[in-house]
Amino acid sequence: YQHSSLLEGLPVASPGEMKVVNGELKTLTDKSGHYRPLPIFLKQALAEMVSKKVDLKNVEIERWSVNDAMTIKELRKLGFDK
């Protein structure tokens, strides 16, 4: 389901995709065909998930805007330390 359809074109906090397997978040991306997300938006999504007690320790973070994949450990090195 596309977030742009879900929100009918309204602003989103963090565009991208999630892969969930058996109720467990596996991958989070900033991949979007409609928006051009800045890294701060992915950080915002992660901060919201942390506040909701989502277990992120085994989640792969894929940053399409810079064409690489980052783990939570790598994101912490960049200042995401919640």
Side-chain angles (χ1 to χ4, degrees):
Y1 195 76
Q2 300 296 318
H3 55 77
S4 58
S5 299
L6 176 68
L7 296 175
E8 298 177 341
L10 294 172
V12 297
S14 181
E17 299 176 346
M18 292 184 207
K19 179 179 180 183
V20 178
V21 177
N22 295 325
E24 184 178 341
L25 182 61
K26 297 291 187 178
T27 307
L28 180 67
T29 81
D30 64 356
K31 179 181 177 186
S32 175
H34 300 281
Y35 302 93
R36 293 182 183 261
L38 298 171
I40 190 68
F41 297 118
L42 183 57
K43 190 174 181 179
Q44 179 174 280
L46 290 166
E48 181 66 19
M49 289 179 186
V50 167
S51 78
K52 303 291 186 197
K53 309 283 191 249
V54 176
D55 183 3
L56 298 175
K57 67 181 171 232
N58 294 315
V59 176
E60 182 178 14
I61 308 300
E62 295 180 4
R63 297 204 38 232
W64 287 70
S65 59
V66 293
N67 208 14
D68 69 345
M70 294 193 306
T71 63
I72 294 300
K73 186 182 290 186
E74 291 168 317
L75 281 168
R76 284 188 179 130
K77 289 180 187 176
L78 295 175
F80 181 79
D81 54 11
K82 292 191 176 204

